[in-house]
Amino acid sequence: EICSIINPKPEDAFIVVVGPERRAMHAMKKIVERAKMAIDGVPQETRRLLPNGNSEFLRVIHGKERIYPDTDTPPIVISKETVEECKKKVGKRPWEIYDELNTRYKFRQSQVDLLIRAEKIEKFYNYTEKLGLNGQLAYRLLIEHPRRKRRQGKRLSDPSIDKLAEGLSRKIVIPEQIDSLIDIFATQPNLDIEEAREKLGISRVGETELNELITQKLHFFDEVKIRSDRNYRRLVTVKIVGEILKAVNYSVSGRMIAEKIDGLIEGRIK
């Protein structure tokens, strides 16, 4: 009889509610609400299974926005003194860290993010403030070198990085030696920094020998042009520094070589 009145199509459905008018109207309102909810997906709720195979609503499953304490756990009183003591231990916020590192070392946001995600901020401050390392050098030690080694299938442990940082701080390691020392520590992490330097075969080059090497290299370039053309002089310096670093097995820093080149050109070193 109902179908003859509403004439439903094969894909249509209808609901019949039977009962006192007030309860039937309330049920119909809920049915409309449920139909609208179904458009967005299955409603988040807990239902009870009935003996006849159907189920009925029990309670709504609250979303992640609602967080409430366990009602069976008694409240814990936290004193004001405890709160104040905890405040003293709160570290710098990410945006505060970015502002500081950007101001002091011109770090980009991506660099600061990597330090924070790797939980290396405290170590970074230790390297720069206690060991006196340059900010960019400390960043390369903590982030860039370990990542590069991982891509090569090698692992650089935290203690090995600490040894390199200590060696740089004590001036027994120079930045140009880091790559070679990292390769040694990646396979022999138990070595100390002095043993790693011995494995590398690093021996100290005397100042006289270094000056002679630079002088020999300078003879291959136009001395007059070196003195008059700043761009040419800069290119010559870069080329000589690279060649001498390889010749002395990276036992002296590139900066020192560049300074000696400049001194020899200006005639300050005899």
Side-chain angles (χ1 to χ4, degrees):
E1 186 177 349
I2 294 174
C3 287
S4 65
I5 296 172
I6 63 177
N7 193 26
K9 297 178 181 178
E11 65 272 16
D12 289 338
F14 62 86
I15 296 171
V16 177
V17 178
V18 179
E21 182 177 355
R22 184 175 177 181
R23 297 186 65 184
M25 290 300 296
H26 178 72
M28 290 301 295
K29 289 179 181 179
K30 289 297 179 181
I31 289 167
V32 172
E33 290 177 10
R34 301 283 298 186
K36 291 179 179 178
M37 290 170 63
I39 295 174
D40 297 324
V42 178
Q44 295 296 303
E45 63 188 19
T46 299
R47 300 185 67 82
R48 180 175 63 181
L49 183 65
L50 299 176
N52 62 4
N54 290 329
S55 63
E56 67 177 1
F57 173 82
L58 277 180
R59 59 182 176 273
V60 173
I61 298 176
H62 296 287
K64 59 184 178 181
E65 296 81 8
R66 178 174 176 181
I67 301 175
Y68 50 89
D70 181 358
T71 53
D72 296 328
T73 302
I76 300 173
V77 178
I78 301 176
S79 66
K80 185 176 181 181
E81 291 75 14
T82 301
V83 173
E84 294 301 322
E85 188 65 28
C86 289
K87 286 182 179 180
K88 295 177 184 178
K89 298 179 182 179
V90 174
K92 297 177 182 176
R93 297 171 176 83
W95 52 90
E96 294 172 339
I97 295 172
Y98 168 74
D99 289 341
E100 182 175 347
L101 298 188
N102 176 258
T103 301
R104 293 176 62 180
Y105 306 112
K106 306 301 180 185
F107 275 15
R108 302 184 302 276
Q109 182 68 59
S110 59
Q111 291 177 289
V112 178
D113 288 346
L114 287 172
L115 282 169
I116 292 173
R117 290 171 184 170
E119 298 182 356
K120 299 294 184 183
I121 288 296
E122 185 176 350
K123 184 82 72 170
F124 176 85
Y125 282 120
N126 181 58
Y127 285 2
T128 55
E129 296 175 4
K130 294 183 179 180
L131 298 183
L133 299 189
N134 172 275
Q136 294 292 345
L137 180 57
Y139 175 81
R140 289 196 294 273
L141 272 178
L142 291 169
I143 301 298
E144 291 183 356
H145 289 303
R147 293 181 78 192
R148 180 166 53 81
K149 285 303 169 186
R150 282 198 298 271
R151 295 189 188 105
Q152 298 172 1
K154 300 177 181 178
R155 183 179 180 276
L156 187 61
S157 66
D158 289 344
S160 296
I161 297 173
D162 289 340
K163 293 173 192 175
L164 287 169
E166 183 184 351
L168 288 163
S169 177
R170 292 166 53 195
K171 308 297 184 186
I172 62 174
V173 172
I174 59 176
E176 288 81 0
Q177 298 167 350
I178 290 177
D179 279 346
S180 300
L181 289 170
I182 282 176
D183 288 335
I184 293 174
F185 278 128
T187 56
Q188 302 178 72
N190 294 326
L191 295 178
D192 60 33
I193 193 66
E194 286 81 5
E195 291 171 333
R197 290 180 78 253
E198 290 177 7
K199 287 277 185 182
L200 197 59
I202 296 174
S203 58
R204 188 71 179 175
V205 178
E207 188 171 350
T208 302
E209 182 183 354
L210 185 59
N211 290 340
E212 290 176 355
L213 282 170
I214 295 172
T215 302
Q216 291 172 8
K217 299 292 182 181
L218 283 171
H219 286 325
F220 291 99
F221 300 93
D222 188 333
E223 185 177 343
V224 175
K225 191 174 181 180
I226 289 175
R227 294 179 181 276
S228 60
D229 189 332
R230 299 184 68 85
N231 288 330
Y232 179 72
R233 178 170 173 171
R234 184 163 52 250
L235 292 172
V236 168
T237 299
V238 171
K239 183 174 179 60
I240 292 177
V241 167
E243 292 177 354
I244 291 180
L245 280 173
K246 293 179 181 178
V248 300
N249 198 19
Y250 296 92
S251 59
V252 294
S253 70
R255 178 179 295 180
M256 178 186 294
I257 297 172
E259 290 174 352
K260 286 188 175 293
I261 292 172
D262 187 58
L264 285 168
I265 291 172
E266 298 298 332
R268 294 196 300 267
I269 301 176
K270 303 299 182 183

